[in-house]
Structure formats: C-alpha cells, structure tokens
Amino acid sequence: MNPFSSGTRLRDMIRAIRACKTAAEERAVVRKECAAIRAAISENDQDYRHRNLAKLMFIHMLGYPTHFGQMECLKLIASAGFPEKRIGYLGLMLLLDERQEVLMLVTNSLKQDLNHSNQYIVGLALCALGNICSAEMARDLAPEVERLLHGRDPNIKKKAALCSIRIIRKVPDLAENFMGPAASLLKEKHHGVLIAGVQLCTDLCKANTDALEYLRKNCTEGLVRILKDVSNSPYAPEYDIAGITDPFLHIRVLRLMRMLGQEDADSSEYMNDILAQVATKTESNKNVGNAILYECVETIMGIEATSGLRVLAINILGRFLSNRDNNIRYVALNMLMKAITVDAQAVQRHRTTILECVKDSDASIRKRALELVFLLVNDGNVKPLAKELIDYLEVSDQEFKGDLTAKICSIVEKFSQEKLWYIDQMFKVLSLAGNYVKDDVWHALIVVISNAPDLQGYSVRSLYRALQTSYEQESLVRVAVWCIGEYGEMLVNNVGVLEVEEPMTVTESDAVDAVELALKRHSSDMTTRAMSLIALLKLSSRFTPTSERIKEIVTQHKGSVALELQQRSIEFNSIIQRHQNIKWVTDLLVVNNIARHPLKILVVESMHLLLGCWCMCRSSLVERMPVLDEAAYLGKRAGSSQPTLSAEKSSKPTTSAASLKLPNGVAKPPAAPLVDLLDLSSDDAPVLPSAPNDFLNDLLGIGLPNSSSSGAAPSTTTDLLMDLLSIGTSPAQNGPSDSNVVPSSAKAAESKPAPVTAPVMDLLDGLPSNASPPRDENLVYPTITAFESSTLKIAFSFEKQPEKPQVTLISATFTNLSSSTLTNFIFQAAVPKFVQLHLDPASSSTLPANGNGTITQSLRVTNTQHGQKPLAMRVRMAYKFNDEDKLEQGQISNFPPGL
Amino acid sequence: MWKISSSSSRSQFRIRRSPPTATWSLRCVEDIVFEKNCEQERRRKSVGRFGFYFPTMINFVLLISRQGKVRLTKWYSTYSQKERTKVIRELSGVILSRGPKLCNFVEWRGYKVVYRRYASLYFCMCIDPDDNELEILEIIHHFVEILDRYFGSVCELDLIFNFHKAYYILDEILLAGELQESSKKTVARLIAAQDSLVETAKEQASSISNIIAQATK
C-alpha cells in the first residue's frame, strides 16, 4: 500500500493549514496534500476516497485548483452507501459547475438515485440537480422530478418543487408540464412544501403566459386563503419569528399575488381586503414585520389596487423613510423609485427627506437617493434641486463625486429652460468637480456658448474668474481656454456686460497669462495643452501687441516630447511667422479638439493640407470660428457614443466614388476625408452635407459658404496659391472664380504627379508621411453576405491599408428581412486566437422592418498570421423580435482570400 | 451571453464542436461590466412584462471572515472558477471596509449583496435587484440560528473544521437559490436523521472490518 494513501485526517490537515504563518508555507502544505490525494486517486483507493474528497473541498475553498478530484465525486456518487453519496454530491456541487462536461456523466447516477427507495438519497439527488443542473440534464430528468412532485413525503416534495424551478429556468419550454402539479402543491398544509410550491408558481408565471392565466384562474382564491390563515394564525412556535408566524411564507405569497394581480382587475379586486389587513396589522417595530410590509407595499403598487390602498402603501413608505434604521430607509428609497410611476405627486412630498438622504454617510443610501432625486426632477423644481446638489458637490466624498457630477450634468442639460442658467450651473459644476465632468458634457457646453452670442462675453469673463481659483479642474481649464481664445477681445473690452456681473478689467497680457499658465501647469494633460496652444494662436491674431510674446511661448514647445504638441507648435510657429493675420484657418483647426480622438490624426492631417491651400486664399478672414451646429451636435450625442467615427464610416460608400476621381491625389488612401474635402470645395458640397450626423463634415460644410462669400480678390488668391505650389500655370488660365482654386491644383496634381508632392511637403513644413503614393487598386475586396437567416442579413465590406496587410477594416451592414422591427440589437463576434478583433459601437440598436434601414458597425481585424491562415469568425446576434429575445449565431468562412 | 474568461469559453466551444485545432478567444463589445450593465438594463425593462424571464433568486452565498478568508461559498448561478475568485476578492474588499452603522446592503455590478456580521464572520447573500432585502436578512439569521442549534453556540472554528456540515445544513435551507424550509425544527430533524444514517453505516463498516480482521487473524 502506498505510504501516502492513508494520509492525514481531515481535521489534521485543516489544523496544519491553519498553523501556517505565511502563504508560501500554506502552499507547501496544500501541495503535499494534493500530491497524496492524486496518488490515492491513481491507486484507486476505496477506503479513503470520501476523506480525500472532503480535503479537496477544503482546498478548493482556499482557492487552489482541484479539477483532478472531479471524477472522484462521480465514483462516490455511484457507490451504494449513503455516507459516500452524501459527500459525493456535496463535492459535485462544490467542485463542478454546470458548464463542465464531466457533469453529463452524472446524469445516469442521478436518475437512479431519484428513483431510490431511501428518501434521503432521493433528497440528495434532488438537491444536486436543483443546484447545478444544466439545460440538457434538466431536459433528461424533468419527468423524474415531475413524478416526485406527486409523492407523499413532504421533504421530497419541497425539494422536487424547487428543483423544478431550476429546470424551468434552464428550459422554459418545460413549464407547461409543471402547471398542474404546482397548483396542487398550494393545497398542502406543510409550510416547507407550501413555500416551495408558491415559489414554483411564481417562476411559472414569469416563464409562461399560459401558466400565468391558468394559475390566475385556479389559485387566486387559495392564495388569499393561505395568506389569511397564516396572518391570523395563533402563536405557532415552530414557525414563529419575532411574534409573526412564518414571515417567509407571507412574503412569498405576497410576491405570487403580485404576479397574479398584475394588469388584472378581477384578481386584484379579490386581494384588496387581505392586503389592507396585512398592511395595517403587521407590527413594524421589528425587521421581520418591515420585510412583510415592504413586500406588501410592492404588491399593492404592482397590482390594480384601489386608490385607498395605494395611499396606505405610500404612507407606509413615508414612515419607512423617516425611520432611524438605515436598512429601512434604503428599502424605502428603493420602493419610492417604483412608486414614482404610480403616484409621482405623493413621492414629491418626500422630496426634502430624499434630498437629505443624498447627503447620508452611507454610500448605498446616497446612491439610491441620488437616483430617486434624478427621477423627481421636473421643470418646476429643477432650480432648487440643482442648487442643493451643486452645493453638496463641494463637500461630498471623492468617490461619490463622479456619480453626483454625472447626474447633475444630465439634470441641468435636460431641464434647463434658459441658457444663462444652464451656463451658470455648468460653470459651477466645472469649477467644483471639473475633473469628473465627461468630455461630451463640456463639448456640449462649448456648443451652447458658441450659439449664444449675447452670453459669450459673460461666459468668457465668468470662466476667467473661475480659472483664477480652480486651475486644477481639467475640464474647466479646457472650456476656459477655448473661450478665451475664441472670445478674448470680449474679455478685454467688456463686451455684452450683463446686469448681474461685477465689473472687472483684464488686460490683453492677463488673458495671455491665463492661457500660458494652463499650458505650463504640470497637471495639465495633452489635450488641455494642445487647446492652449490653439487658443494662443487665435489670440495672436486678436491681440496684435502680444503676438511676439505668444510666438515665444509657442516656440518653447517646438522641442516637446509629445508629438502632438511639437507638431502643433512648429506649425503654428510657421503660421505666425508667415501670415501674421491669418485667423480663419486656426479656427478650423480647433475642430479637432471637438472631433473624437480616433479621427484626430486624420483631421489634423487633412487640415494641414487644407491649410496650405486655403489659408493663402483668405487674407481678410472671418474673425471667429463658425457657429457650431447645436441641433446636429445634440442629435449626434443622443445617437451614439462615438458617432464621428461610425458616421464617417457609414458615409464611406457614398464618398468612395468621389475619391476615385483622384487616383493620384496628394493624400494616402486612409485620408479619405481630405479627398472628400478637396472634392467638396469644387462642386459646392453635394455629398457631405447629406450626412447630417457627421459633425466634422458639418463644420466644414458650414465653413464653406463663408469661404465662397468672403470678399477676397479671387485672382490674387489664386495667384498666391499657384505661387506657393510653384506650379508653372498662369493664374489667368485657372479662371477667376474661387471655387476653381482647389480643382485646379488637383488637375495640376493629376498632370504632374511627381513634382507636386515636393512643394506640398515644403509648404507643410515636415509632414512627409502625407506624400506616400497610393496603391489602392489591388486592395479591393468584394462585399460578401456574411450571414443570412429568415430575419437577418449581414453584409461585410472590406478595406485594407496597403502598408498594413494584416489589418482589415470590415464594415458590417445589418438588414432586417422580417416584417417587424428588431430592437435591442447586439452584435458579437469571436475570432480564433491568432486574430485580434476590435469592435466599434454599432450605429443603432434598432433595426427597422422590411429592410427599411440598416445598422452599420465597423470591425477592425488584425490577422497576426496573415498569408498563412485564412480569417474566420463566429458571430452572434441577440435582439428582441416581437417582444421576444432571439439569438442567432453563425460562422463566417467565406471571407475573400488574402485577408 | 458569452463569458469572457478563456477557460470557460473553451469548454463551451468544445461542446458545440468547434474546429478542434483552433482555440478561440472571445472579444465582446466591452468588458464584463458592460455585459452586466446590459443585462441589468434589460432586467429593469422587464419588470412587469412577460416574455422576459428574470428570476429573483439568491445568486450565491458567501461566508467571509474579518480577515477576508473564505469560510463557505455556495453558487446558485453559474460562475466560472475565475469569476468566482474575482467576485470574492471584489466583494470582500467592499464589505469588510464598510462601517458598522451603515445599512446592510451593497449594490454591486447591478446586483445587491445583503450582508450581516456575526462576531468575526460576515454572511453575505447576493440577490437580484428586485428581491426583498429585508427578508434576506431574516434568511441569514434563520441560517445562523440553525447553525447555532446544531453546533451549540456556533463559532467560526466550528465552521472551519466542520465545513461540510455547514454545507449540509445550508442545503436543507436553500435549494436552487430559493428558500426551502422555514421551520428550524424540520431542518434539525432532517440533518439529524441523515447524520444517524451515516453513523449506522460507519458502525456497520467497522463491525464488518472487525469480523474480517478477527477471521483472518
């Protein structure tokens, strides 16, 4: 016999593990024990199997791997004796979960044990089945369980009832089989069986509408009687908890009543009396009583109760809310949130108390209260509520500030009636908790300011003032810097002073100081610094006396380690140097602070190219950045979280034709927006404005009318451009009109591809990467139908950058072939290990019927074994179809070769 | 939903007969938190609507000591081993750091965790957001009282050395994440009956081995 196999006793092992002083010691002990157990397993040791399994369970609880013991569980379960089975089933439930294949092997033993003559063995099997069964097992063993429901022993019956719950949860189709037995369980006297039966009925109601109807018809009466009996019953020591007989049964019956009474007047009517009795008679000085009251209130809110009963329920909640016990207050807040749909007025009455709860020391209560306050806000009370919340923001805990800020911002945005109030509140939030403000919130603020000409002066002055005290709030600094750059002269000249304002004098150099400070602070991040640089550039044209100083500041960043800053600094420097009075382009550049990050590089690149062409043409320039389109911005925010990118992708098909016109354009292929822009300027933007979601394009679209209506002398500008591009064509040939400028350069580029790139590079002072010649002809892949079912069609189109052969951009287009709309649409994809997949958010989650509209979603796939292994993908679509959850999945293997 | 962790996904795939050579790694739109949030969102919408099926149940029971040691875990919803460790780590961080006077509920990943401290042990139960928190506190107390009766003023050491017994008791109180028995007496009786079954089996075994030992002497 193996010397290890007898091993130590369980108790000794636990003691040894507990005696360990360090984690390393513990690991050593566990390793030794595991080795012994493995040895015993391989020797097929019978005598100590159950002890070894018990040890393994303890080791498992400590978090060590114990998979090697799984088969031992099965062996123990298969043995004849009760002690072995008992420990075997325990091990099965602890060491395995329903996703392990080993579990399938136990189905047969379970079946045998369910038919065993010993009730305790049947109990063990039911218990294991109820806790870990998988869908397959549920299907296989459902008849056995159903049979046991009709048995005589209460212990088996209650276990079988609960086991059925698990079976229905795994396989809702089986619900029908359990309807009859479940209803008959409600006639039992034994509380355990009754509780289990009521729970089974509740789950049946949730799983199946037929079952709900059936139980509503057959059980409502019996249920009311059960509740009446149990709540009127005299003292029963076996079930008594704090003077109440079986509160668990109370609560479960109330819950089932809620299911049955929901949206059904008749059965609700039947329940009113008993609910009123429970609500008035239950003692509320103990937790048990409150638990029943809580459930009772929820039931009253859930069913079609009389208005008197509802008032009673709301009053109970009011009492809960003023309770000193935190638990009771928490559930009151929780419940009021549901009550708000029933009776908003009654909940409003408790507003002050709820507001106090927002300031509670308990994080759980605070969170609940904040969510409730958020629901309570309406047009009438938004001002005092927002003020309260903002005041509290100052003193709240750090970890709560994030939630609080987000909620305040959305309240202020949603309910603001006047812009001044909105701007004021946002400034307050920014200066108190600017670090917690999300990007889209301050972007929206900028859009609003830019749309309110009469408040711009006020805004920039308030921000300047706020900046003096709260430099550490990142988003405040960003907004302030943007506004100072944009409306700097309003700050200095006190334009548009409102009555409420205190007068202040700010000199031009003060304004530059403020921006410089933002640029040089250590805590400022890249975006802030980049924005500061742009602001300085704008100020240099607005405050001519300070332009030398600004040039100095900008020059200091020429050697910055951050590429973005360095690039900006060098370019701006050259702009200041060459064209001191050019302002318009700088405004255009600001756009890329608002555009989302992924596009940034693209935008910057295309801007710089444009800059070369356009800034030359505009000697008398528009003073300020064009007004941002508020409606489009808000629509875009509502539409999706990262819309610029997806909109850009979705507009690709429409613009691709345009890009083909320039086979040898100045840009590399991914810079499609640039091509679009160049093209756009020639024929007055027929393509891009049609994509209303595209914020960037909108901005540029807005910029265009300005450019064509500006009064610059056309012939000189053309001249300038041609001069700069050092192309030999004479200006007269190119025609006098503005709109011809860019196409002429494009034509020139077409005719003389080689020489053009050099001047452009020269012009841009170091952007050589732009000039790589495109090779896109051989990278065209056919669009494939990746997936098609009766309801859904998915088409994939592909794109690839020539310098990165392993990366493929896939844009997926989903079309609904059925006749009803699909909602909650979620697309998921899985790829083999050698492929990396990045999914962008989908353009929408709703798919209109009959192919009237599509969802697009882009995927970036990196095949690390490009050329050796073909791409493969599995997809899974979850959606709601006719109010039902549907799931479809499939494998895509018809990818075009070479991906 | 597809789970993120690679081990579970692999086994899931094998059952569905995926190409045996390739091991598949999964990438969902966001991480698991996002997934939970979605689920949460759907759950919220499902209140009072049929066709959706979201049970209110106890998802898991957790006993942790004040030092963060796990004393008992019982999972009624499916969690992979990796997720289990993560859940335990996250929750013990949250619960052990809460002050004494605060409420007994913690919101966590869209679920609620109801906990109650008895001496050095925290009894935690994770429930669905629509469940009755106050009742869960009573269930915890119910469990503790039964343990107390069984062990005779129970302490942490009892649960360490007789952890399997604690599991047997829990299995008589909860099944499939639902309450099974509201009578302490019934539970005690059932446990006692099964214990005595084990005892008789042991006695028989030892008497048989005695007989054999004597016969072979």
Side-chain angles (χ1 to χ4, degrees), chain A residues 98 169 252 362 874 876, chain B residues 2 13 78 103 135 178:
Chain A
E98 61 166 292
R169 278 179 195 159
R252 281 174 176 71
D362 188 333
R874 290 175 167 219
R876 172 144 150 168
Chain B
W2 284 0
F13 264 115
T78 316
C103 72
E135 192 215 2
E178 308 278 359

Side-chain angles (χ1 to χ4, degrees), chain A residues 387-687:
Chain A
K387 186 180 176 309
E388 279 281 336
L389 292 179
I390 292 174
D391 287 348
Y392 178 59
L393 191 56
E394 204 163 352
V395 292
S396 68
D397 286 355
Q398 289 300 322
E399 67 264 34
F400 189 48
K401 270 189 176 153
D403 276 350
L404 191 57
T405 311
K407 281 280 187 293
I408 294 176
C409 289
S410 66
I411 289 175
V412 168
E413 277 178 9
K414 206 162 138 199
F415 292 99
S416 72
Q417 288 131 350
E418 55 209 89
K419 280 190 172 172
L420 178 59
W421 183 79
Y422 167 79
I423 289 175
D424 267 341
Q425 305 309 310
M426 288 311 297
F427 287 172
K428 273 190 213 158
V429 174
L430 282 176
S431 40
L432 286 173
N435 288 331
Y436 299 95
V437 173
K438 299 251 173 356
D439 278 356
D440 53 347
V441 172
W442 65 263
H443 291 169
L445 177 63
I446 286 185
V447 173
V448 169
I449 294 176
S450 116
N451 275 288
D454 44 337
L455 293 177
Q456 284 163 353
Y458 170 72
S459 303
V460 67
R461 282 187 297 277
S462 309
L463 282 168
Y464 180 79
R465 217 177 274 135
L467 203 54
Q468 307 304 317
T469 53
S470 354
Y471 251 108
E472 69 282 358
Q473 305 290 356
E474 201 71 28
S475 353
L476 176 80
V477 176
R478 288 183 196 172
V479 178
V481 159
W482 186 87
C483 283
I484 292 174
E486 200 64 15
Y487 312 115
E489 75 283 2
M490 294 189 180
L491 175 65
V492 176
N493 304 334
N494 277 326
V495 177
V497 179
L498 302 183
E499 282 171 22
V500 289
E501 267 184 90
E502 287 170 33
M504 62 189 280
T505 37
V506 181
T507 64
E508 294 179 347
S509 76
D510 285 344
V512 176
D513 281 344
V515 181
E516 188 184 2
L517 190 57
L519 181 63
K520 291 190 174 161
R521 272 179 63 89
H522 288 293
S523 60
S524 302
D525 71 355
M526 258 266 294
T527 318
T528 314
R529 289 182 189 202
M531 288 183 75
S532 307
L533 272 178
I534 289 175
L536 284 174
L537 179 65
K538 288 189 261 186
L539 286 180
S540 81
S541 64
R542 271 159 213 169
F543 304 158
T544 16
T546 59
S547 83
E548 263 317 299
R549 196 179 139 209
I550 289 174
K551 195 176 143 196
E552 254 171 55
I553 302 171
V554 172
T555 320
Q556 285 165 11
H557 282 79
K558 261 184 163 171
S560 169
V561 278
L563 184 67
E564 177 85 24
L565 294 185
Q566 192 187 31
Q567 189 181 355
R568 282 184 196 223
S569 153
I570 289 170
E571 284 163 9
F572 295 170
N573 193 37
S574 83
I575 291 173
I576 297 173
Q577 239 165 14
R578 292 188 188 183
H579 315 287
Q580 283 284 352
N581 52 355
I582 288 168
K583 298 150 204 170
W584 189 83
V585 177
T586 63
D587 293 332
L588 209 55
L589 271 172
V590 144
V591 170
N592 66 54
N593 286 318
I594 292 158
R596 296 287 182 139
H597 270 274
L599 251 194
K600 206 158 176 173
I601 304 303
L602 274 182
V603 174
V604 171
E605 279 176 7
S606 44
M607 285 300 168
H608 294 314
L609 274 173
L610 274 179
L611 192 146
C613 306
W614 278 3
C615 70
M616 314 309 153
C617 335
R618 307 275 162 257
S619 47
S620 68
L621 292 161
V622 195
E623 261 301 309
R624 203 162 285 136
M625 185 169 167
V627 171
L628 303 161
D629 188 346
E630 201 171 0
Y633 182 72
L634 294 178
K636 182 205 73 152
R637 268 186 79 192
S640 75
S641 58
Q642 210 176 7
T644 332
L645 192 63
S646 53
E648 199 268 328
K649 292 269 182 283
S650 63
S651 68
K652 273 267 163 70
T654 49
T655 55
S656 57
S659 56
L660 284 178
K661 283 192 218 157
L662 287 172
N664 202 7
V666 271
K668 56 183 174 175
L674 165 67
V675 181
D676 294 341
L677 291 169
L678 288 172
D679 194 58
L680 171 82
S681 57
S682 65
D683 49 22
D684 223 8
V687 185

Side-chain angles (χ1 to χ4, degrees), chain A residues 165-475:
Chain A
I165 294 183
R166 169 95 182 189
I167 292 175
I168 300 167
R169 278 179 195 159
K170 290 288 155 199
V171 193
D173 303 343
L174 290 172
E176 288 171 14
N177 306 356
F178 289 99
M179 261 157 42
S184 64
L185 282 180
L186 296 184
K187 299 188 182 84
E188 292 280 335
K189 284 278 172 287
H190 187 279
H191 279 220
V193 182
L194 213 47
I195 283 184
V198 171
Q199 285 173 143
L200 175 57
C201 289
T202 313
D203 266 66
L204 279 171
C205 292
K206 287 184 200 168
N208 191 319
T209 3
D210 293 342
L212 175 67
E213 284 304 322
Y214 176 83
L215 292 171
R216 195 177 268 160
K217 220 161 52 200
N218 293 304
C219 298
T220 314
E221 217 168 310
L223 215 53
V224 170
R225 207 175 44 245
I226 294 171
L227 190 55
K228 219 174 250 165
D229 285 350
V230 74
S231 66
N232 293 333
S233 85
Y235 176 71
E238 195 171 348
Y239 299 105
D240 186 81
I241 295 180
I244 297 172
T245 306
D246 208 341
F248 302 115
L249 182 59
H250 266 94
I251 288 169
R252 281 174 176 71
V253 171
L254 284 167
R255 194 174 295 161
L256 180 54
M257 281 184 162
R258 182 160 71 243
M259 295 301 300
L260 298 180
Q262 216 161 33
E263 294 165 12
D264 187 85
D266 290 343
S267 44
S268 300
E269 167 82 48
Y270 206 81
M271 296 167 190
N272 276 333
D273 284 349
I274 186 67
L275 288 177
Q277 189 199 325
V278 171
T280 46
K281 289 228 176 121
T282 310
E283 292 278 343
S284 66
N285 49 7
K286 287 267 168 53
N287 181 52
V288 198
N290 285 326
I292 295 178
L293 280 176
Y294 176 49
E295 197 69 38
C296 187
V297 168
E298 194 162 357
T299 300
I300 293 174
M301 296 292 178
I303 67 169
E304 315 289 314
T306 58
S307 60
L309 210 48
R310 289 204 167 155
V311 171
L312 187 64
I314 298 264
N315 287 344
I316 292 174
L317 290 183
R319 231 163 52 219
F320 274 16
L321 201 56
S322 50
N323 201 308
R324 291 228 315 285
D325 186 346
N326 279 333
N327 289 343
I328 309 292
R329 280 202 343 228
Y330 176 89
V331 295
L333 290 169
N334 202 19
M335 201 55 234
L336 282 171
M337 229 153 96
K338 290 175 192 164
I340 205 165
T341 49
V342 178
D343 189 353
Q345 216 46 50
V347 182
Q348 288 283 359
R349 250 182 278 135
H350 300 293
R351 205 171 61 215
T352 38
T353 328
I354 296 165
L355 212 49
E356 281 309 304
C357 291
V358 175
K359 302 170 190 173
D360 201 273
S361 59
D362 188 333
S364 300
I365 291 188
R366 274 195 314 241
K367 199 166 165 222
R368 272 293 120 225
L370 184 62
E371 267 169 40
L372 186 54
V373 166
F374 184 65
L375 292 177
L376 279 177
V377 177
N378 57 27
D379 289 335
N381 60 23
V382 60
K383 287 194 177 174
L385 274 180
K387 186 180 176 309
E388 279 281 336
L389 292 179
I390 292 174
D391 287 348
Y392 178 59
L393 191 56
E394 204 163 352
V395 292
S396 68
D397 286 355
Q398 289 300 322
E399 67 264 34
F400 189 48
K401 270 189 176 153
D403 276 350
L404 191 57
T405 311
K407 281 280 187 293
I408 294 176
C409 289
S410 66
I411 289 175
V412 168
E413 277 178 9
K414 206 162 138 199
F415 292 99
S416 72
Q417 288 131 350
E418 55 209 89
K419 280 190 172 172
L420 178 59
W421 183 79
Y422 167 79
I423 289 175
D424 267 341
Q425 305 309 310
M426 288 311 297
F427 287 172
K428 273 190 213 158
V429 174
L430 282 176
S431 40
L432 286 173
N435 288 331
Y436 299 95
V437 173
K438 299 251 173 356
D439 278 356
D440 53 347
V441 172
W442 65 263
H443 291 169
L445 177 63
I446 286 185
V447 173
V448 169
I449 294 176
S450 116
N451 275 288
D454 44 337
L455 293 177
Q456 284 163 353
Y458 170 72
S459 303
V460 67
R461 282 187 297 277
S462 309
L463 282 168
Y464 180 79
R465 217 177 274 135
L467 203 54
Q468 307 304 317
T469 53
S470 354
Y471 251 108
E472 69 282 358
Q473 305 290 356
E474 201 71 28
S475 353

Side-chain angles (χ1 to χ4, degrees), chain B residues 24-42:
Chain B
W24 294 70
S25 73
L26 285 166
R27 175 83 202 223
C28 287
V29 181
E30 288 288 324
D31 62 358
I32 196 148
V33 179
F34 177 75
E35 193 180 289
K36 283 271 153 67
N37 283 347
C38 287
E39 205 180 334
Q40 178 59 30
E41 187 59 32
R42 286 168 54 189

